[in-house]
Short mmCIF file of all heavy atoms in Angstrom, two decimals:
data_model
loop_
_atom_site.label_atom_id
_atom_site.label_comp_id
_atom_site.label_asym_id
_atom_site.label_seq_id
_atom_site.Cartn_x
_atom_site.Cartn_y
_atom_site.Cartn_z
N ASN A 87 -8.56 9.47 24.11
CA ASN A 87 -7.84 9.07 25.30
C ASN A 87 -6.35 9.33 25.13
O ASN A 87 -5.77 9.02 24.08
CB ASN A 87 -8.08 7.58 25.58
CG ASN A 87 -7.79 7.21 27.02
OD1 ASN A 87 -6.72 7.50 27.52
ND2 ASN A 87 -8.76 6.56 27.67
N ASP A 88 -5.71 9.89 26.14
CA ASP A 88 -4.28 10.19 26.07
C ASP A 88 -3.41 8.95 26.23
O ASP A 88 -2.21 9.00 26.00
CB ASP A 88 -3.89 11.21 27.14
CG ASP A 88 -4.42 12.60 26.82
OD1 ASP A 88 -4.63 12.90 25.63
OD2 ASP A 88 -4.62 13.39 27.78
N VAL A 89 -4.01 7.83 26.64
CA VAL A 89 -3.25 6.61 26.86
C VAL A 89 -3.01 5.90 25.52
O VAL A 89 -3.95 5.61 24.79
CB VAL A 89 -4.01 5.66 27.82
CG1 VAL A 89 -3.22 4.36 28.01
CG2 VAL A 89 -4.25 6.35 29.15
N PRO A 90 -1.75 5.62 25.17
CA PRO A 90 -1.49 4.86 23.94
C PRO A 90 -2.15 3.48 24.01
O PRO A 90 -2.22 2.86 25.07
CB PRO A 90 0.04 4.74 23.92
CG PRO A 90 0.52 5.88 24.75
CD PRO A 90 -0.50 6.03 25.83
N TRP A 91 -2.63 3.01 22.85
CA TRP A 91 -3.28 1.70 22.79
C TRP A 91 -2.67 0.89 21.66
O TRP A 91 -2.06 1.43 20.74
CB TRP A 91 -4.79 1.83 22.61
CG TRP A 91 -5.22 2.74 21.49
CD1 TRP A 91 -5.34 4.09 21.54
CD2 TRP A 91 -5.57 2.35 20.16
NE1 TRP A 91 -5.76 4.58 20.31
CE2 TRP A 91 -5.91 3.54 19.45
CE3 TRP A 91 -5.66 1.13 19.49
CZ2 TRP A 91 -6.31 3.53 18.11
CZ3 TRP A 91 -6.06 1.11 18.16
CH2 TRP A 91 -6.38 2.31 17.49
N ASN A 92 -2.84 -0.42 21.74
CA ASN A 92 -2.19 -1.33 20.79
C ASN A 92 -3.20 -2.01 19.89
O ASN A 92 -4.27 -2.42 20.33
CB ASN A 92 -1.40 -2.41 21.55
CG ASN A 92 -0.26 -1.84 22.36
OD1 ASN A 92 0.64 -1.21 21.82
ND2 ASN A 92 -0.30 -2.05 23.66
N PHE A 93 -2.82 -2.10 18.63
CA PHE A 93 -3.57 -2.88 17.65
C PHE A 93 -2.72 -4.08 17.30
O PHE A 93 -1.61 -3.93 16.77
CB PHE A 93 -3.86 -2.04 16.40
CG PHE A 93 -4.59 -2.76 15.31
CD1 PHE A 93 -5.95 -2.60 15.16
CD2 PHE A 93 -3.92 -3.61 14.43
CE1 PHE A 93 -6.64 -3.27 14.14
CE2 PHE A 93 -4.59 -4.29 13.43
CZ PHE A 93 -5.96 -4.11 13.29
N ALA A 94 -3.21 -5.28 17.59
CA ALA A 94 -2.45 -6.50 17.30
C ALA A 94 -3.03 -7.20 16.08
O ALA A 94 -4.24 -7.22 15.90
CB ALA A 94 -2.48 -7.43 18.50
N PHE A 95 -2.18 -7.76 15.24
CA PHE A 95 -2.66 -8.50 14.08
C PHE A 95 -3.47 -9.72 14.50
O PHE A 95 -4.28 -10.23 13.73
CB PHE A 95 -1.50 -8.92 13.19
CG PHE A 95 -0.80 -7.77 12.54
CD1 PHE A 95 0.58 -7.64 12.60
CD2 PHE A 95 -1.52 -6.78 11.88
CE1 PHE A 95 1.22 -6.58 12.00
CE2 PHE A 95 -0.89 -5.71 11.28
CZ PHE A 95 0.48 -5.61 11.35
N SER A 96 -3.26 -10.18 15.72
CA SER A 96 -4.04 -11.31 16.22
C SER A 96 -5.49 -10.93 16.48
O SER A 96 -6.28 -11.77 16.92
CB SER A 96 -3.42 -11.86 17.51
OG SER A 96 -3.31 -10.85 18.48
N VAL A 97 -5.86 -9.66 16.20
CA VAL A 97 -7.26 -9.25 16.29
C VAL A 97 -8.12 -10.09 15.36
O VAL A 97 -9.30 -10.32 15.60
CB VAL A 97 -7.41 -7.75 15.96
CG1 VAL A 97 -7.05 -7.46 14.52
CG2 VAL A 97 -8.84 -7.27 16.23
N SER A 98 -7.53 -10.57 14.27
CA SER A 98 -8.28 -11.39 13.32
C SER A 98 -8.11 -12.86 13.66
O SER A 98 -6.99 -13.36 13.69
CB SER A 98 -7.79 -11.14 11.88
OG SER A 98 -8.38 -12.08 11.00
N PRO A 99 -9.21 -13.58 13.89
CA PRO A 99 -9.11 -15.01 14.19
C PRO A 99 -8.42 -15.80 13.09
O PRO A 99 -7.86 -16.86 13.34
CB PRO A 99 -10.57 -15.44 14.35
CG PRO A 99 -11.32 -14.20 14.67
CD PRO A 99 -10.61 -13.10 13.92
N LYS A 100 -8.45 -15.28 11.84
CA LYS A 100 -7.86 -16.02 10.72
C LYS A 100 -6.34 -15.96 10.70
O LYS A 100 -5.70 -16.76 10.01
CB LYS A 100 -8.43 -15.49 9.40
CG LYS A 100 -9.91 -15.78 9.20
CD LYS A 100 -10.36 -15.32 7.84
CE LYS A 100 -11.83 -15.63 7.60
NZ LYS A 100 -12.29 -15.21 6.25
N ILE A 101 -5.75 -15.00 11.41
CA ILE A 101 -4.29 -14.89 11.35
C ILE A 101 -3.67 -14.90 12.74
O ILE A 101 -2.61 -14.34 12.96
CB ILE A 101 -3.83 -13.63 10.57
CG1 ILE A 101 -4.43 -12.36 11.18
CG2 ILE A 101 -4.17 -13.74 9.12
CD1 ILE A 101 -3.88 -11.10 10.55
N THR A 102 -4.35 -15.52 13.70
CA THR A 102 -3.75 -15.67 15.01
C THR A 102 -2.71 -16.78 14.96
O THR A 102 -2.68 -17.60 14.06
CB THR A 102 -4.82 -16.02 16.06
OG1 THR A 102 -5.52 -17.20 15.64
CG2 THR A 102 -5.79 -14.88 16.24
N GLY A 103 -1.84 -16.77 15.96
CA GLY A 103 -0.83 -17.82 16.02
C GLY A 103 0.50 -17.39 15.45
O GLY A 103 0.89 -16.22 15.55
#
Side-chain angles (χ1 to χ4, degrees):
N87 200 308
D88 288 334
V89 178
W91 51 276
N92 296 300
F93 178 99
F95 293 131
S96 56
V97 65
S98 171
K100 293 184 178 181
I101 56 173
T102 56

